Amino acid sequence: MFDYKEKIRDFILLNFEASTPEECNCKMNSIDFLNFIFQTFPDGCISDYDLNEVLIKLGFSRYTYTIEIIEVVKKVETKRYELQSAWCMNSLSLKKTIIKNE
């Protein structure tokens, strides 16, 4: 099997930079990030463990933060909070687009 670990590392370096939950423009948990990777590379070409290793070596951190969920049932609004764990990063192409439009 072809080793995609290096190619995925290079892809991440070209397209993302590490960030914090407050400043990032992209938050993905490991499963979401794997699914994103599998849109470009063959399905199953890297494991969750290997992806975590690559991201940590590149200086990315996994953050846990609170998200607010608002539910409306029969015109009654209810708020609840959940903890979310995700890789917080800036998509470089998205960042360029935002800067260009400012």
Side-chain angles (χ1 to χ4, degrees):
M1 183 172 160
F2 190 75
D3 184 22
Y4 283 94
K5 202 170 173 179
E6 282 296 312
K7 289 183 179 268
I8 291 171
R9 184 189 73 79
D10 293 343
F11 175 79
I12 293 169
L13 278 173
L14 286 172
N15 293 288
F16 298 98
E17 66 182 9
S19 188
T20 62
E22 300 80 26
E23 298 173 353
C24 70
N25 62 20
C26 182
K27 295 177 185 175
M28 287 188 268
N29 63 29
S30 291
I31 293 170
D32 293 337
F33 200 59
L34 278 171
N35 288 331
F36 174 77
I37 293 291
F38 297 153
Q39 298 296 315
T40 305
F41 297 94
D43 193 20
C45 66
I46 190 169
S47 69
D48 181 33
Y49 178 82
D50 287 336
L51 179 62
N52 285 322
E53 180 183 358
V54 167
L55 289 169
I56 288 169
K57 283 184 179 178
L58 292 175
F60 289 82
S61 297
R62 189 189 322 244
Y63 290 91
T64 300
Y65 54 92
T66 305
I67 57 170
E68 179 180 80
I69 299 170
I70 299 173
E71 296 175 333
V72 179
V73 178
K74 295 183 181 179
K75 298 184 182 182
V76 176
E77 185 177 288
T78 306
K79 291 183 184 179
R80 63 184 173 91
Y81 299 89
E82 289 184 3
L83 290 177
Q84 180 85 25
S85 179
W87 298 100
C88 296
M89 57 192 80
N90 281 318
S91 165
L92 297 178
S93 60
L94 187 59
K95 189 175 180 179
K96 288 176 189 174
T97 303
I98 292 169
I99 292 170
K100 189 186 296 184
N101 291 333
E102 287 181 347

